[in-house]
Amino acid sequence: MLRLNLFLLLAAMICALGVVTSQHKARKLFQELEGEQERARSLDVEWGQLQLELSTWATHPRIEKIARDKLHMHAPEPAKVINVPAGGR
Amino acid sequence: MARARSHRYTESPVLQLAFPAWRSRLAALALLGGFAVLAGRSFYLQVINNDFLQEKGESRYRRELEISASRGRITDRNGDVLAVSTPMRSIWAIPADVKLTPEQSQNLAKMLEMDGRELNRRLAEDKNFVYLKRQIPPDTGERIAALKLPGIHQNKEYRRYYPSGDMTAHIVGFTGVDDKGLEGVELAFQDQLLGRPGFRSVIKDRRGQIVEDVGSVKPPQDGKDITLALDSKIQYLAFSQLKQAVDDNDAKAGGAVVVDARSGEILALANWPTYNPNNRANLSGAQLRNRAVTDTYEPGSTMKPFSAALALEKGKFRFDSVINTAPGKLTIGTATISDSHAHGLLTLAQVIQKSSNVGIAKVAGTFPAEEMWTMFDNLGFGQAPKLGFPGEVGGRLRPWKTWRPIEQATMSYGHGISVSLMQMVRAYTVFARDGELIPLTLLKGDGNPVKGERVFSPQTVREVRAMLEMAVQPGGTAPKAQIPGYRVAGKTGTAHKLEGGVYARKYVASFVGLAPASDPRLIVAVMIDEPSSGKHFGGDVAGPTFANIMSGALRTLGVPQDAALQVAGSNAGKEAL
């Protein structure tokens, strides 16, 4: 009888310690998850800002200005355009 | 021995004392009463007052957090961003709590890019809450937070940016404070774009870190992204060409619309004057107006092809039926209709080509009023085009029973009836689609051609398209609308403006056309309000603008050419057809 009781006491203590460590681990992991979620949010914000920057740099008036003034490009006259039919038949 | 001793106890005189029976009962009762009070108290705490106490307990460690959601982005059909929200910080203060050293306040003023005195003035205000500066970049906000100044707080706000600025201002619109759409797509699709913040309750430890989620979590719902049918390249083309045309002609305003004839998608919608949605100080009503959708005008001759189509449809006229338009004047009742150039005998096709008012009025005179009204109604005149745009108008189409003969005549060439540019484009889809009127849409479709409602037969439409092609060729009203390499079909419009019920010497010049005429892909409409640099005919004012927009848009979309102009390979021409 006594031996069984001692055994059960030991088992209960091991379980209790297990609960404590797993709780601790869970909280650690949860904090990590929180951190990563926070990072995901800030990356999303950054993505929005980069998209904004991209569209600002790539506005058509700006592209046209650079193409015309800096690179001296112009649209080809229709007579100089040769149409190649798809498939080449 | 033991027995003897116990005997001695009972014999002891002290123990011989006899207590009255009620004393022990009283003691038992008192004890029981005490237990009953305890049980009652615990019942009160555990059952009756439980919820309140649980809540109080939880509030000691539990925190409700709001999870912010962002407003959806608006992009064009290729994914280029037209409107995006990005988080900003707003710095506010509780003046009573603020205790800054002069050095600190100088530092803060510098970070906020504010005048030091202005900052001090705000901090001296007798209020509980004062904004120091709204919508500053987040990294500046972080640096201010790092200073840990007492009484200085900040919160997160979103700011909406429109990278393409004035170019797409009318179609995209803008939002006001609190992410509420006020104009354009921002208003029309407010419900989809709006983000709904979520909530979560968490347990925080003493360092303020979240330890655990407890209870229910309501996830935030970010606003949906909206993909418009708009093509930024074509939009830029339409916008810059329209601006050029308004400048060149000293015009008051203008509008241009480009529509894909297969899907009904609006590829471009430009208005002039416009505004910069990123900086809305000093906005005027004229700048805000989305003319192509919310303003009506008397379309003038761009209306003629519909009457011609009706004449063909009812079999009253053929393509080459001859109509006498001499001497360029026609009197109906007390009013006289005149042509800007007098012509003699014209075929129906030539009436359209040369845009003869007299000719088309004679044609229209042969219809019952009801028949003509039904056609206009089928074409969507008098009804808003239901794009979902704020402030869409339906124009004016009076009931046929009130028409007088002169009115029926003038309506055939686009006076006495008013439409918006968007309605005109929609009506022209019947000529691009072999007789079907299709609904227009602001949103990108799935790429499949849409079904329409039949208004004219394919044969009628093919003949009208041939007439419209003649109008663009030499001898027509708009040779300047030609595009090398493509067959173009279109119609000019030059309408007098109504001012106070009288036609003034002010004009609206317009052009609506489609290309390639062999298999129409695009419809472009251009409207120039009050050109005043000498020219006022639609063919001279709006025609070249149409040609520039159309040729650029066709090239952008890679539409095969259908007119022989240096084509590689002998079969290419046929294939393009």
Side-chain angles (χ1 to χ4, degrees):
Chain A
M1 196 61 185
L2 183 74
R3 273 166 111 194
L4 182 68
N5 281 346
L6 277 176
F7 175 73
L8 287 177
L9 179 71
L10 198 71
M13 277 172 71
I14 289 170
C15 285
L17 286 175
V19 168
V20 170
T21 43
S22 61
Q23 182 82 359
H24 180 70
K25 271 186 192 162
R27 291 196 169 175
K28 269 265 155 74
L29 286 173
F30 186 79
Q31 268 175 17
E32 217 169 293
L33 178 72
E34 275 302 297
E36 293 301 314
Q37 276 172 347
E38 187 53 48
R39 212 162 73 89
R41 271 195 290 277
S42 70
L43 285 175
D44 194 48
V45 166
E46 198 183 333
W47 158 238
Q49 279 164 347
L50 289 173
Q51 265 188 318
L52 183 64
E53 197 179 324
L54 175 78
S55 334
T56 313
W57 287 116
T59 50
H60 291 275
R62 184 171 173 273
I63 291 172
E64 183 170 312
K65 200 168 148 41
I66 290 173
R68 269 186 212 287
D69 300 350
K70 249 195 196 153
L71 305 171
H72 304 291
M73 294 166 87
H74 61 88
E77 294 145 33
K80 286 189 179 159
V81 178
I82 299 173
N83 258 24
V84 184
R89 279 169 293 125
Chain B
M1 273 290 278
R3 223 177 150 196
R5 209 178 286 160
S6 70
H7 270 281
R8 219 173 289 146
Y9 273 125
T10 49
E11 284 154 19
S12 156
V14 185
L15 294 172
Q16 291 282 314
L17 280 170
F19 291 109
W22 61 265
R23 266 184 80 159
S24 66
R25 284 212 200 107
L26 183 73
L29 215 66
L31 277 171
L32 270 175
F35 275 118
V37 168
L38 273 178
R41 173 69 179 162
S42 75
F43 180 80
Y44 173 73
L45 291 178
Q46 295 279 343
V47 181
I48 297 173
N49 221 2
N50 185 39
D51 291 345
F52 171 78
L53 291 171
Q54 288 262 318
E55 199 186 298
K56 281 286 162 199
E58 269 172 8
S59 74
R60 296 290 183 276
Y61 58 84
R62 202 166 154 161
R63 294 280 176 277
E64 285 274 320
L65 294 184
E66 191 186 280
I67 318 170
S68 60
S70 61
R71 190 177 173 85
R73 294 171 186 139
I74 301 177
T75 67
D76 83 340
R77 63 187 303 111
N78 303 318
D80 286 347
V81 172
L82 301 177
V84 64
S85 292
T86 159
M88 300 299 254
R89 299 293 170 84
S90 284
I91 308 293
W92 53 277
I94 302 171
D97 291 359
V98 178
K99 280 166 192 77
L100 298 181
T101 63
E103 195 190 336
Q104 276 177 323
S105 76
Q106 210 173 22
N107 201 356
L108 181 65
K110 213 168 86 188
M111 279 190 184
L112 292 172
E113 292 169 357
M114 275 174 82
D115 187 44
R117 271 168 301 178
E118 167 71 11
L119 179 70
N120 287 332
R121 194 185 60 73
R122 291 212 187 174
L123 288 177
E125 279 181 57
D126 187 22
K127 284 185 195 164
N128 284 328
F129 178 96
V130 56
Y131 272 119
L132 297 181
K133 189 151 191 186
R134 297 190 77 161
Q135 304 200 326
I136 62 165
D139 47 336
T140 313
E142 300 280 336
R143 278 189 290 135
I144 291 171
L147 294 177
K148 295 205 172 110
L149 301 173
I152 307 282
H153 306 272
Q154 49 184 293
N155 55 359
K156 214 163 127 184
E157 278 182 350
Y158 282 94
R159 185 178 163 177
R160 200 87 167 143
Y161 278 98
Y162 304 95
S164 40
D166 56 0
M167 208 172 81
T168 54
H170 288 110
I171 200 158
V172 174
F174 55 82
T175 57
V177 286
D178 306 331
D179 257 2
K180 204 162 178 279
L182 294 181
E183 283 284 346
V185 169
E186 294 271 32
L187 172 58
F189 295 94
Q190 165 73 7
D191 285 349
Q192 279 112 301
L193 284 166
L194 187 70
R196 285 171 181 80
F199 294 94
R200 60 192 285 209
S201 40
V202 296
I203 297 177
K204 279 194 176 180
D205 66 8
R206 95 197 126 78
R207 280 173 302 176
Q209 277 178 319
I210 296 169
V211 183
E212 212 176 303
D213 268 317
V214 284
S216 59
V217 177
K218 190 183 150 222
Q221 276 184 312
D222 279 341
K224 283 203 189 72
D225 292 354
I226 299 269
T227 306
L228 297 181
L230 202 76
D231 185 315
S232 289
K233 263 190 196 166
I234 299 176
Q235 174 71 19
Y236 169 60
L237 195 71
F239 177 75
S240 53
Q241 290 296 333
L242 178 72
K243 189 180 162 203
Q244 185 79 44
V246 170
D247 282 352
D248 288 353
N249 293 294
D250 284 332
K252 203 178 96 182
V257 176
V258 181
V259 164
D260 188 319
R262 289 184 193 165
S263 56
E265 292 171 306
I266 297 169
L267 300 179
L269 187 164
N271 289 287
W272 187 266
T274 179
Y275 60 93
N276 182 0
N278 295 310
N279 178 14
R280 299 195 297 274
N282 313 319
L283 264 190
S284 72
Q287 284 172 298
L288 273 174
R289 258 175 31 218
N290 187 352
R291 285 157 204 281
V293 179
T294 62
D295 278 17
T296 60
Y297 68 109
E298 298 211 335
S301 310
T302 46
M303 213 66 178
K304 281 177 189 160
F306 300 116
S307 298
L310 186 62
L312 292 171
E313 186 82 8
K314 297 291 172 195
K316 288 193 171 128
F317 289 83
R318 280 175 296 121
F319 187 76
D320 51 2
S321 301
V322 176
I323 300 152
N324 187 6
T325 68
K329 280 189 189 347
L330 176 67
T331 304
I332 300 174
T334 56
T336 302
I337 293 169
S338 60
D339 283 342
S340 54
H341 308 284
H343 306 283
L345 295 173
L346 293 176
T347 64
L348 180 60
Q350 282 170 321
V351 165
I352 296 299
Q353 181 190 21
K354 308 213 179 276
S355 197
S356 163
N357 292 346
V358 172
I360 204 72
K362 283 191 169 176
V363 170
T366 64
F367 310 134
E370 187 179 2
E371 216 166 63
M372 200 155 140
W373 183 90
T374 307
M375 172 191 66
F376 283 148
D377 186 56
N378 286 341
L379 290 168
F381 296 131
Q383 317 150 19
K386 295 197 192 80
L387 293 173
F389 246 130
E392 271 179 282
V393 289
R396 189 172 60 107
L397 172 65
R398 297 203 349 254
W400 60 272
K401 278 181 182 160
T402 68
W403 290 7
R404 286 177 292 140
I406 178 67
E407 287 171 334
Q408 185 172 345
T410 61
M411 258 183 250
S412 70
Y413 60 88
H415 281 89
I417 179 168
S418 70
V419 302
S420 70
L421 193 63
M422 194 55 82
Q423 280 182 301
M424 206 61 194
V425 173
R426 176 151 184 252
Y428 264 71
T429 61
V430 298
F431 297 136
R433 292 282 302 238
D434 284 344
E436 280 179 346
L437 184 80
I438 57 169
L440 303 183
T441 169
L442 281 171
L443 300 180
K444 189 184 179 182
D446 50 10
N448 295 327
V450 287
K451 277 255 155 239
E453 274 172 54
R454 181 155 298 285
V455 180
F456 298 122
S457 72
Q459 179 57 30
T460 301
V461 166
R462 271 194 283 275
E463 287 181 11
V464 175
R465 217 149 57 204
M467 295 177 192
L468 294 177
E469 264 191 272
M470 284 165 62
V472 178
Q473 282 157 10
T477 51
K480 287 182 186 162
Q482 287 181 75
I483 301 167
Y486 293 100
R487 285 166 56 194
V488 174
K491 185 73 197 78
T492 55
T494 311
H496 284 270
K497 278 184 84 169
L498 260 180
E499 277 193 349
V502 184
Y503 285 103
R505 284 190 63 83
K506 289 179 180 171
Y507 302 90
V508 177
S510 59
F511 192 94
V512 188
L514 26 115
S518 56
D519 178 18
R521 175 68 197 277
L522 293 178
I523 305 170
V524 175
V526 178
M527 186 255 288
I528 308 286
D529 192 9
E530 289 185 27
S532 50
S533 65
K535 294 181 290 186
H536 65 262
F537 285 114
D540 295 329
V541 175
T545 309
F546 161 84
N548 291 339
I549 296 173
M550 182 61 103
S551 65
L554 289 170
R555 199 175 61 222
T556 303
L557 296 176
V559 177
Q561 301 188 342
D562 66 344
L565 183 124
Q566 249 193 323
V567 188
S570 55
N571 287 331
K574 267 184 226 158
E575 216 153 313
L577 283 170

